[in-house]
Amino acid sequence: MTSVVRRRVYGFGFACVLTALGQVAVYLFMLAVSVRQEYEDVQVASTSGIMAALTGVYAWLTGRLMFLLYERRHGEITCLEWVWWLCSIVVILFNLLLCVWFGLLSDTLPTTVSAVAASLYTLFFKFAKDDIKQMGIDEAAKSDKREYIE
């Protein structure tokens, strides 16, 4: 794997972690506002709480995945990959739904933020998925080479 590909994956991964942490802060703010007595919206509060937790888990999983990619520990990645994959899909879909929702409300700033987040998450998902696949191929080739030598 070339270093350009790895830098691209790390760049998108770092941007995704920062974006996810920013979104967690916004979801927590929305949660705090929606539980106030004068506003009190259970639907917004529950959605904000769930998405804050899920996006926080996504940020942690992405950070862990980047660490394992850096350390080239493919055996541990395979255990983590399906959870990260599922969490990525849910976070991407929710951001796309936010794009539609805020787009219908003609609210450009949240629409743009959700669109950028969904794009970043999707690009990182694609590049990291390819990187993990290539790591598995490289590891299988190394083990085959070791068996052939022995």
Side-chain angles (χ1 to χ4, degrees), residues 107-149:
D107 212 351
T108 56
L109 182 63
T111 304
T112 305
V113 169
S114 297
V116 168
S119 300
L120 272 174
Y121 299 154
T122 303
L123 286 171
F124 178 68
F125 179 78
K126 189 237 180 286
F127 292 135
K129 185 176 58 81
D130 293 345
D131 204 5
I132 292 168
K133 183 179 178 183
Q134 187 61 43
M135 259 177 105
I137 292 169
D138 292 348
E139 189 172 290
K142 283 181 185 177
S143 68
D144 288 344
K145 189 176 180 180
R146 276 186 248 144
E147 288 176 9
Y148 180 73
I149 291 173

Side-chain angles (χ1 to χ4, degrees), residues 2 5 7 13 17 21 24 32 40 52 59 63 68 101 105 117 119 122 133:
T2 65
V5 172
R7 274 184 288 198
V17 169
L21 292 176
V24 167
E40 199 171 331
L68 293 175
W101 175 260
L105 294 175
S119 300
T122 303
K133 183 179 178 183

